[in-house]
Amino acid sequence: MATTKRIGVYISENKKRKMNFVDFVSNLSNKGFEFFELDPSKSVEEQAAVDLVLLKLDELAIEHLDPKPKAIVQFFEDYEKKNKNIPILAPSIAQRALMNREDMSKIIDDLEQKLKNVIPIRCPRSLKIVSEESDYTQILDKHGLQYPLICKKMVACGTTASHDMLLVFRESDLHQFQVPFVAQEFFNHDSVIFKVFVMNDFTSTVARSSLPNYDLSTPGTVNFCSRSINFNLDLTKHTVEFPPDNLIKQIAIQLNEMKMYFFGFDIIKRSNSNEYALIDINFWPGYVGVPNVFDLYAHQIEQIILKHQTK
């Protein structure tokens, strides 16, 4: 690397712990990167001059509850407007869209419409339930949702409760989940979920265990935490057919239009079908299982900077 790359940083403490930020900085500093913490208490003009910004805003999850997080979010929105020539991983507008499950559902629906004639994809329908109803049947029928349904909190990440979900098989059980929430169709997928990690133009796909198949005769409901059901499959005991490379590529290309650069998405293959479903998108995953991840970070960050400098 010919010249030092200056990296601005504002990353939540939670994310720093998950990504082993100390080792991240140490490894990339040895590869010609210099890091500067951005300070929202100062003006945009007072911030250090940088080539790229690494931004992870957990404040987006609670900005409506507290003026301090709201002020931090506003600072970075102003920063982005005044520094259009600096790549920001990722813009606050993209992070906000993935924080809210209703917005994420729209992104997934739009992606399906763009790709349904290109790849075998049929994503689950979802619906925002904003108020308690005596009977949800009419509104679900109107939007074409079929049981089973997964009930999810509106906030998709940034809080512990955002990962607590309820799988229901009949209308009467929907009333167990507190409004507002998103109801999303559940597809049987033979207990396998594919987690795809994307870093700019790099992709890596890992198979992990997921919920078992269910039918509508299942008694009661199924409470689960989406974080705790995913762990690496023993591939010696479970034969897994990975999604086609072109399917992964097409989805990644579409999502890269949001300029996130570091993101992941979850897809499943529907039981007894050739169709795949995109069920979740997340910004800046942990890249668990991706080899030489610090080398990958260094290479991809440099490529993003060079791409912007040559525009």
Side-chain angles (χ1 to χ4, degrees):
M1 193 175 296
T3 59
T4 299
K5 305 299 182 184
R6 296 167 60 89
I7 308 300
V9 176
Y10 186 86
I11 301 174
S12 67
E13 291 303 317
N14 184 43
K15 180 60 183 177
K16 284 182 176 179
R17 287 192 297 271
K18 289 181 178 179
M19 68 179 291
N20 200 350
F21 186 70
V22 173
D23 286 352
F24 173 85
V25 170
S26 176
N27 275 269
L28 269 69
S29 294
N30 292 332
K31 301 178 190 300
F33 293 88
E34 190 174 1
F35 292 86
F36 302 86
E37 290 280 348
L38 299 181
D39 185 356
S41 69
K42 299 179 179 180
S43 69
V44 171
E45 290 74 19
E46 292 179 276
Q47 306 301 318
V50 296
D51 299 302
L52 178 144
V53 172
L54 297 175
L55 179 63
K56 180 67 170 69
L57 287 172
D58 279 359
E59 288 86 355
L60 284 163
I62 55 173
E63 61 173 325
H64 61 294
L65 300 174
D66 189 328
K68 184 178 179 180
K70 187 174 183 179
I72 293 173
V73 172
Q74 183 61 57
F75 167 82
F76 282 105
E77 290 177 349
D78 293 342
Y79 185 97
E80 292 164 21
K81 291 176 183 177
K82 295 178 179 179
N83 293 279
K84 295 184 181 297
N85 61 321
I86 298 176
I88 297 176
L89 284 57
S92 56
I93 188 172
Q95 293 191 47
R96 178 177 279 111
L98 298 187
M99 282 277 184
N100 184 291
R101 284 205 167 91
E102 183 181 22
D103 292 341
M104 187 194 300
S105 295
K106 292 176 182 177
I107 294 170
I108 291 174
D109 290 344
D110 289 345
L111 185 143
E112 178 184 346
Q113 292 304 310
K114 291 178 181 178
L115 295 180
K116 65 182 181 180
N117 295 322
V118 180
I119 57 176
I121 188 169
R122 153 70 165 95
C123 299
R125 297 183 181 91
S126 61
L127 177 66
K128 178 182 177 181
I129 306 293
V130 296
S131 60
E132 178 73 28
E133 303 286 344
S134 59
D135 192 315
Y136 291 109
T137 302
Q138 186 173 355
I139 189 172
L140 293 175
D141 289 346
K142 179 180 177 180
H143 291 85
L145 272 71
Q146 297 182 347
Y147 293 98
L149 297 173
I150 297 180
C151 300
K152 305 179 179 182
K153 299 286 188 182
M154 292 301 302
V155 176
C157 57
T159 69
T160 302
S162 63
H163 301 280
D164 294 332
M165 303 183 184
L166 181 71
L167 182 61
V168 302
F169 305 92
R170 57 199 61 83
E171 193 279 334
S172 58
D173 292 328
L174 273 176
H175 301 270
Q176 295 184 30
F177 212 75
Q178 184 177 358
V179 295
F181 64 91
V182 167
Q184 183 186 62
E185 290 180 318
F186 173 80
F187 294 157
N188 282 333
H189 51 283
D190 301 325
S191 303
V192 180
I193 188 170
F194 299 99
K195 305 192 81 68
V196 182
F197 301 120
V198 182
M199 194 181 293
N200 194 27
D201 61 0
F202 167 88
T203 62
S204 176
T205 305
V206 177
R208 294 184 180 169
S209 65
S210 183
L211 293 172
N213 292 347
Y214 294 97
D215 59 46
L216 294 180
S217 65
T218 302
T221 59
V222 178
N223 290 277
F224 66 97
C225 173
S226 59
R227 278 181 170 172
S228 62
I229 60 171
N230 295 328
F231 52 87
N232 289 328
L233 286 167
D234 183 351
L235 298 182
T236 63
K237 299 179 180 179
H238 197 130
T239 302
V240 176
E241 179 184 352
F242 277 71
D245 290 342
N246 184 56
L247 182 139
I248 299 296
K249 178 182 177 181
Q250 293 297 330
I251 295 175
I253 288 173
Q254 291 296 323
L255 293 178
N256 251 325
E257 291 184 0
M258 297 175 67
K259 305 298 182 187
M260 290 186 292
Y261 299 103
F262 296 171
F263 63 94
F265 57 90
D266 296 347
I267 56 176
I268 57 174
K269 186 175 186 291
R270 300 182 65 183
S271 299
N272 303 314
S273 171
N274 291 322
E275 290 183 326
Y276 288 83
L278 171 64
I279 59 172
D280 194 24
I281 310 166
N282 56 89
F283 169 59
W284 206 341
Y287 298 102
V288 176
V290 176
N292 305 313
V293 69
F294 293 128
D295 290 340
L296 182 62
Y297 271 123
H299 173 72
Q300 295 296 345
I301 290 173
E302 183 180 19
Q303 291 305 306
I304 293 166
I305 292 172
L306 291 174
K307 181 179 179 180
H308 276 73
Q309 290 177 342
T310 56
K311 280 186 176 179

